[in-house]
Each structure stands twice: as structure tokens, then as C-alpha cells.
Amino acid sequence: EAGVTQFPSHSVIEKGQTVTLRCDPISGHDNLYWYRRVMGKEIKFLLHFVKESKQDESGMPNNRFLAERTGGTYSTLKVQPAELEDSGVYFCASSQEEGWPTEAFFGQGTRLTVV
Amino acid sequence: ILNVEQSPQSLHVQEGDSTNFTCSFPSSNFYALHWYRWETAKSPEALFVMTLNGDEKKKGQISATLNTKEGYSYLYIKGSQPEDSATYLCAFGNSGYALNFGKGTSLLVTP
């Protein structure tokens, strides 16, 4: 069974440009999460989808970040316009069950560098 | 903001050494404690999910314990091997569904 896959694995863009990250969760997983790790810091929660609905987006840094999950399958995270401080590794995770405890399966991450 | 602290920040041991790391977390409103193993450019790999005070879990030479009353968990690696080199992350789950991660302990095992 395929795990959580993320595209691209790396992206280097200039400040002010737009970047869209994609996440394909494990098939059948209703819960999809986005996290971000800025260098030297801990991995931080961005938002949580249940199917196509945003359950919790309290971790989204600002309105330059837009996440979507049309049809409740894959998800995209768009950063527009990108700023230097957006650089980091963006992780996607999915889980089958809602509530605790539930094991979240992570993708390999997208390393975003804004120059 | 829920502070999850991990120590040490980094660790360098020789092959065959046993080692342990600490994760401390808020003891109130506890739901679950997760340990992940992460190698750069790979997916963080789930090691353990623990929910009950006193839980002990084991996978091969890696084991973990949980104390929810005092808010800490230990991860032990017995007889470290070079392939155990990675960053070990702990994450605390409370009433929401988000995981609150520590910064991790970076382990290097040299032959």
C-alpha cells in the first residue's frame, strides 16, 4: 500500500512568487494534516482536514497560506506571495480514525526554500 | 502553546552503547504521547503511541515508558547501531487533533 506522498520534494522560489505543495494521503484516510518545520525549531501544526472540511486551521500563519482538499482526496497548500520566513519543510500526514489515540502517517516532506 | 521539551538536543555514542532520551510534556489534558524516528529527506516513522500512565512499549531494541502524572516519557535504545542514527521526535496529543512536537533529539551512532 502506498504511503503518504508529497510533491515536489524540493522547491526553490524567489520571494514574492507563488508555490503550491501537494499531498496525497493514504487511500481511505479521512483525516489529513499539514505541518511545518522551520530550521532549528519544532514541527508545528498548520491545519487539519476531515474529508474536504477544514476541522482546525488554527496553526495557519497568515492569509498568505491557503489549503484545499477538493473531493476529500488529495490536498494542496498554496503560499502566495512567499516570504523568506516561509522556508522550511512542509509535512503532510494522514490518519484513518478520528480521535485519540490514532497513528498519523507522515509523508517525506517538501523542502521549501524562499530566496 | 503546549511546550514539549526533549533532551538532550543531540547525542553521539559508539556502536553497542545503550542510550536514552527524555520527553517532557504538560501533564494536564493528556490524550496520547507519540514517538517518531526521522531521517532527513524521509518520512517520520511512527515508533510508539502511548496513552496510559505506566505504559511500556517495545520494538526490537527500542523501548519507551510513559508517566502521565509527572509529564515525561523515556525512549531507550539498547545496543545502538549506526542505522539507529536519526532524529527522535516526541509529540503530545491533547484534546485537539494536532500533535505538539518537541524539537527532537539527534542521535549519531558511530562504528
Side-chain angles (χ1 to χ4, degrees):
Chain A
E1 180 182 349
V4 177
T5 53
Q6 293 187 242
F7 305 95
S9 56
H10 293 83
S11 180
V12 181
I13 62 170
E14 292 183 352
K15 177 182 171 181
Q17 289 187 320
T18 298
V19 63
T20 300
L21 314 180
R22 173 172 168 143
C23 168
D24 286 74
I26 293 173
S27 178
H29 282 194
D30 287 341
N31 295 280
L32 186 148
Y33 311 82
W34 283 99
Y35 289 84
R36 176 175 74 171
R37 185 178 192 250
V38 172
M39 187 179 291
K41 301 275 183 78
E42 63 274 17
I43 296 173
K44 285 200 170 175
F45 168 78
L46 296 178
L47 89 159
H48 169 212
F49 283 100
V50 178
K51 296 184 181 177
E52 67 275 9
S53 299
K54 291 176 186 174
Q55 188 77 9
D56 179 358
E57 50 184 330
S58 61
M60 294 288 264
N62 50 60
N63 59 10
R64 295 185 294 103
F65 289 75
L66 175 64
E68 295 180 320
R69 192 182 182 195
T70 307
T73 54
Y74 71 90
S75 175
T76 57
L77 179 64
K78 180 172 16 178
V79 185
Q80 178 182 31
E83 298 290 343
L84 299 178
E85 64 265 23
D86 300 332
S87 296
V89 181
Y90 289 77
F91 289 103
C92 175
S94 71
S95 67
Q96 189 167 32
E97 299 161 14
E98 198 168 353
W100 295 110
T102 184
E103 184 176 354
F105 297 86
F106 279 77
Q108 83 283 5
T110 293
R111 182 173 295 276
L112 174 66
T113 303
V114 183
V115 297
Chain B
I1 296 176
L2 299 168
N3 289 324
V4 178
E5 302 289 338
Q6 290 189 248
S7 63
Q9 184 177 352
S10 63
L11 198 54
H12 182 188
V13 302
Q14 296 296 312
E15 181 176 358
D17 288 350
S18 293
T19 185
N20 65 84
F21 325 132
T22 303
C23 171
S24 62
F25 52 87
S27 55
S28 60
N29 206 18
F30 174 87
Y31 273 65
L33 194 283
H34 299 240
W35 280 100
Y36 284 86
R37 178 181 181 278
W38 179 42
E39 293 181 65
T40 304
K42 294 187 178 180
S43 306
E45 172 198 354
L47 292 174
F48 306 113
V49 180
M50 295 185 289
T51 57
L52 299 176
N53 184 45
D55 258 355
E56 291 187 26
K57 299 240 173 160
K58 188 170 184 222
K59 181 186 284 191
Q61 297 299 100
I62 304 177
S63 60
T65 61
L66 178 67
N67 183 322
T68 60
K69 293 184 178 178
E70 295 181 40
Y72 65 84
S73 174
Y74 293 137
L75 186 80
Y76 301 91
I77 302 178
K78 183 179 175 183
S80 305
Q81 299 297 309
E83 53 266 32
D84 293 324
S85 298
T87 297
Y88 291 82
L89 301 164
C90 83
F92 165 77
N94 64 345
S95 57
Y97 296 112
L99 289 174
N100 301 281
F101 282 86
K103 290 185 181 180
T105 293
S106 178
L107 173 67
L108 177 63
V109 183
T110 51

